[in-house]
């Protein structure tokens, strides 16, 4: 496992985390074994916007003895009052849901308390007006929430939230399909989505990635909007190459699926090469570097992907990017 540091919190977060959409589909014993195998494989970051309320007791059983070694994203607005996932902006329902989740998780604190599912500007305004955001602040002041995060599929709403400088982590849907305007949650154009990545990097806000496989579509040539399948490893690498991204959160429902995900770190460079997406790119993405570095090796020894990444970040005023660029062994001027 490799880890990345959240610049705003100092916490080391595993590059591969775990979502909970699928682990609820198997019986408790297998689910507990799956979660425990993830932890044993070095996964320390877990998103708990689960498909079913049973997930919380599963995690409580699997990880309560190592609670201080893992991080939980818990969503204020995810409602499990009927057992399965629902969404609510009712403050009392939010309070009851989170209290039940903490009980089942066998914990008394939340690492990242998430402003949940802000896909429209009206949602964000209502979230504040209904007192949910104030409740999150109150729990943070009492030490129950350590850090604040937010989840959204919509770049314009994300920018509104980033304007407040309240969050330390963003959960965003990152994959080639969405970035190239294909799929149910492909909100925002190429540049709008790229601006989210760059602004998060500049502000030090970490990104945890949901839907890295576009709901599995990208793994099937029949289902993919591009008519060509990518591997799960190509999709993970694509997301991890984006500015701001700390961790990718695929789901798993068996020990073997977790072990397959962990094999990402054993892949050869050619097996992670996702440069084929260049043939899928829409006209508005033409000429935009995605930092994949599969143009290497450069005959002059330039790290082309990194040069472009630092350049893009410096253009939006990221002073650290400028300093990192100047520290490179070779610069753009060394191109022959």
């Amino acid at each position: 496992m490799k880890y990345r540091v959240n610049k705003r919190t100092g916490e080391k977060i595993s590059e591969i985390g775990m979502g909970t959409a699928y682990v609820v589909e198997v019986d408790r014993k297998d689910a507990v074994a799956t979660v425990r195998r993830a932890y044993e494989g070095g996964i320390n970051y877990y998103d708990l916007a689960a498909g079913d309320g049973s997930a919380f007791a599963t995690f409580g059983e699997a990880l309560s003895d190592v609670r201080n070694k893992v991080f939980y994203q818990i969503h204020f607005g995810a409602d499990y009052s009927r057992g399965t996932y629902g969404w609510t902006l009712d403050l009392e329902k939010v309070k009851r849901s989170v209290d039940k989740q903490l009980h089942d998780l066998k914990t008394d604190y939340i690492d990242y308390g998430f402003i949940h599912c802000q896909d429209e500007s009206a949602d964000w305004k209502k979230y504040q007006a209904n007192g949910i955001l104030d409740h999150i602040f109150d729990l943070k002041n009492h030490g129950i929430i350590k850090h604040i995060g937010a989840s959204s599929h919509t770049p314009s709403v994300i920018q509104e939230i980033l304007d407040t400088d309240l969050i330390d982590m963003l959960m965003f849907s990152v994959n080639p399909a969405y970035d190239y305007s294909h799929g149910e949650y492909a909100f925002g154009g190429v540049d709008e989505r790229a601006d989210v990545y760059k602004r998060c990097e500049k502000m030090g806000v970490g990104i945890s990635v949901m839907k890295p496989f576009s709901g599995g579509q990208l793994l099937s040539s029949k289902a993919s909007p591009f008519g060509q399948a990518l591997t799960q490893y190509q999709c993970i690498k694509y997301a991890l190459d984006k500015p701001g991204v700390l961790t990718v959160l695929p789901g798993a429902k068996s020990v073997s699926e977790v072990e397959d995900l962990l094999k990402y770190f054993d892949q050869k460079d050619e097996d992670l090469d996702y440069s084929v997406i260049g043939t899928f790119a829409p006209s508005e993405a033409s000429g935009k570097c995605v930092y994949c570095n599969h143009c290497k090796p450069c005959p002059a020894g330039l790290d082309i992907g990194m040069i472009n990444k630092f350049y893009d970040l410096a253009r939006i005023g990221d002073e650290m990017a400028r300093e990192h660029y100047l520290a490179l062994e070779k610069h753009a001027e060394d191109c022959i």
Side-chain angles (χ1 to χ4, degrees):
M1 182 58 64
K2 294 180 180 179
Y3 298 85
R4 297 183 176 188
V5 176
N6 185 321
K7 295 176 185 176
R8 292 171 70 104
T9 70
E11 293 166 342
K12 294 175 66 175
I13 293 172
S14 55
E15 288 188 347
I16 294 181
M18 185 177 181
T20 48
Y22 303 116
V23 74
V24 295
E25 296 178 3
V26 298
D27 64 50
R28 173 71 66 82
K29 181 180 178 181
D30 289 340
V32 169
T34 299
V35 174
R36 190 68 184 194
R37 179 65 186 95
Y39 168 75
E40 291 169 351
I43 291 174
N44 71 355
Y45 198 88
Y46 301 88
D47 176 62
L48 291 169
D52 187 274
S54 63
F56 304 103
T58 293
F59 274 81
E61 183 176 343
L63 300 180
S64 60
D65 64 319
V66 291
R67 175 66 184 93
N68 64 334
K69 297 180 180 179
V70 298
F71 304 105
Y72 289 152
Q73 287 187 172
I74 293 181
H75 295 252
F76 286 67
D79 178 29
Y80 298 92
S81 59
R82 297 185 178 182
T84 56
Y85 169 80
W87 184 56
T88 182
L89 289 175
D90 179 275
L91 177 59
E92 292 308 312
K93 285 184 178 180
V94 168
K95 289 180 177 180
R96 288 195 298 271
S97 180
V98 171
D99 286 347
K100 178 67 161 57
Q101 290 172 49
L102 290 175
H103 174 270
D104 290 351
L105 286 166
K106 301 179 182 180
T107 188
D108 58 2
Y109 70 95
I110 297 167
D111 302 285
Y112 290 85
F114 262 63
I115 302 162
H116 182 57
C117 199
Q118 302 297 292
D119 282 351
E120 297 182 13
S121 186
D123 297 335
W124 176 225
K125 291 180 174 62
K126 192 171 182 180
Y127 201 94
Q128 298 171 81
N130 285 8
I132 305 173
L133 189 60
D134 287 339
H135 179 55
I136 289 175
F137 290 152
D138 184 57
L139 293 181
K140 189 172 189 295
N141 289 336
H142 285 85
I144 296 170
I145 291 176
K146 306 300 181 185
H147 315 292
I148 297 175
S151 66
S152 176
H153 299 93
T154 310
S156 60
V157 179
I158 290 169
Q159 294 288 3
E160 286 187 59
I161 295 172
L162 290 175
D163 285 344
T164 67
D165 199 28
L166 293 175
I167 64 171
D168 300 314
M169 183 74 86
L170 168 71
M171 190 180 189
F172 187 44
S173 45
V174 181
N175 63 63
Y178 294 173
D179 280 349
Y180 289 168
S181 303
H182 293 283
E184 183 181 1
Y185 294 104
F187 302 154
V190 173
D191 289 338
E192 287 179 277
R193 297 177 67 85
D195 286 346
V196 167
Y197 305 136
K198 288 182 281 190
R199 189 174 183 192
C200 284
E201 178 74 26
K202 178 184 176 182
M203 295 178 68
V205 174
I207 299 174
S208 58
V209 174
M210 57 179 160
K211 300 180 175 64
F213 313 139
S214 186
Q217 287 185 323
L218 288 172
L219 308 182
S220 165
S221 59
K222 291 183 179 179
S224 171
F226 307 126
Q228 182 171 336
L230 297 173
T231 68
Q232 61 181 353
Y233 307 125
Q234 288 172 305
C235 293
I236 291 170
K237 182 69 165 69
Y238 175 87
L240 287 172
D241 278 348
K242 290 288 169 281
V245 168
L246 296 182
T247 184
V248 180
L249 303 170
K253 57 182 178 182
S254 68
V255 168
S256 63
E257 287 186 0
V258 170
E259 290 173 345
D260 282 343
L261 289 171
L262 294 173
K263 289 176 184 176
Y264 168 80
F265 297 102
D266 300 324
Q267 303 303 303
K268 298 177 181 177
D269 287 345
E270 54 265 33
D271 295 325
L272 299 177
D273 182 345
Y274 56 82
S275 55
V276 66
I277 70 167
T279 64
F280 310 150
S283 58
E284 62 267 29
S286 179
K288 296 186 188 336
C289 180
V290 295
Y291 324 123
C292 69
N293 263 332
H294 293 299
C295 53
K296 282 187 173 182
C298 167
L302 276 67
D303 188 339
I304 299 169
M306 198 61 73
I307 287 172
N308 276 305
K309 183 180 286 189
F310 290 153
Y311 172 73
D312 287 344
L313 290 167
R315 285 185 66 193
I316 64 166
D318 187 336
E319 283 297 317
M320 288 187 66
R322 180 180 182 277
E323 297 305 316
H324 289 322
Y325 171 77
L326 293 174
L328 289 173
E329 184 178 345
K330 296 202 173 182
H331 304 100
E333 65 190 9
D334 296 309
C335 177
I336 58 174

